[in-house]
Amino acid sequence: REHHAHAVACFADGDLLAVDDDDVAGLDRVDADELQHRVRDGRREFLQRQRNAMANLAADEAVGWFRRALDHAAALDRPDSERVELLVRLGEAEYRAGHPSGLDTLHHAASLAQRCDADHVLLRAALAIDPGWIIRFGRFAPQQLAIAEAAVARVGGRDTATRARVQALLAQSLVHTDHTERRTHAATAALELARDSADPGVIARVAPDVLMALWVPGTAQLRLAVAAEASAVVETLGDP
């Protein structure tokens, strides 16, 4: 019982889980109350430590916390719909820390999110990956395209900025293919959505993907215009 209580307490995350009846089954009242206290303490500790780690760019530390949480998720036999939330956060931390496993973890998270219909996790996993880096290491390109296509299919009526980023992701993910017309269409759609967004910084965010996607003969003037527009936004915002 002590091991079970410790696992629940360490795994509990206010953004992810709540303690349910199965967690306290078989415990007497004193043990159940103690479990609830440990869950609250564990939740605060976990959230604070992972926030501190990511805020301070200590991605390696965050990796350790998310791996620990996933181990407890397995011990408590949590459903995939809850595990996938942790998995994508682990992938983000691994990716930022430069771990070789980061891409595989994010791909796994995206795949699991599709099976769980966790569209918000799928989008988070897709947008966490830099497709330009993957294309330079070509074996990941087909997986990235599949994830980008799934993200486009699931983005729905979300905010304009997210839709712009997803279209830009698709555009760059098509660079390794011969689908020039489709790639150009996605890049153009990303630009239009970015311009419609209430956040002017979206233009600058999607510009690198759009410029790569538009890198075909006859688009030099368009690319210069996009680069100038993005540069002007960065200058105005004062955020390089």
Side-chain angles (χ1 to χ4, degrees), residues 178-202:
D178 58 0
H179 300 157
T180 305
E181 184 175 346
R182 186 183 175 201
R183 184 171 72 242
T184 302
H185 181 271
T188 302
L191 277 176
E192 291 175 352
L193 287 166
R195 288 166 178 153
D196 288 342
S197 172
D199 179 3
V202 178

Side-chain angles (χ1 to χ4, degrees), residues 83-231:
R83 288 179 55 252
V84 73
E85 297 269 7
L86 289 167
L87 193 64
V88 72
R89 297 184 191 197
L90 172 61
E92 289 173 333
E94 288 178 334
Y95 193 66
R96 287 178 59 178
H99 287 215
S101 57
L103 289 174
D104 286 335
T105 301
L106 287 169
H107 288 161
H108 183 196
S111 177
L112 186 59
Q114 290 181 71
R115 295 198 299 271
C116 299
D117 291 323
D119 294 350
H120 66 291
V121 180
L122 169 62
L123 293 173
R124 183 167 179 163
L127 293 173
I129 304 171
D130 174 9
W133 187 90
I134 293 173
I135 289 169
R136 291 196 292 274
F137 293 84
R139 70 185 182 90
F140 289 108
Q143 290 173 279
Q144 173 60 26
L145 177 56
I147 291 171
E149 289 174 332
V152 169
R154 303 285 188 98
V155 71
R158 284 175 171 76
D159 62 277
T160 306
T162 299
R163 287 157 51 208
R165 292 180 64 197
V166 169
Q167 285 291 341
L169 177 75
L170 176 62
Q172 192 184 133
S173 298
L174 286 164
V175 167
H176 76 285
T177 74
D178 58 0
H179 300 157
T180 305
E181 184 175 346
R182 186 183 175 201
R183 184 171 72 242
T184 302
H185 181 271
T188 302
L191 277 176
E192 291 175 352
L193 287 166
R195 288 166 178 153
D196 288 342
S197 172
D199 179 3
V202 178
I203 287 282
R205 176 170 285 188
V206 303
D209 289 353
V210 168
L211 289 171
M212 180 176 284
L214 292 175
W215 206 277
V216 293
T219 63
Q221 291 303 313
L222 174 58
R223 284 185 279 115
L224 285 172
V226 171
E229 183 177 5
S231 296

Side-chain angles (χ1 to χ4, degrees), residues 46 49-50 53-54 58-71 86 89-99 101-102 105:
F46 179 83
R49 293 199 180 205
Q50 63 94 358
M54 296 302 282
D60 275 318
E61 182 182 345
V63 167
W65 281 102
F66 287 124
R67 285 179 178 170
R68 180 183 178 190
L70 280 165
D71 286 343
L86 289 167
R89 297 184 191 197
L90 172 61
E92 289 173 333
E94 288 178 334
Y95 193 66
R96 287 178 59 178
H99 287 215
S101 57
T105 301

Side-chain angles (χ1 to χ4, degrees), residues 8 15 17 33 107 239:
V8 175
D15 292 337
L17 301 172
D33 288 344
H107 288 161
D239 182 5

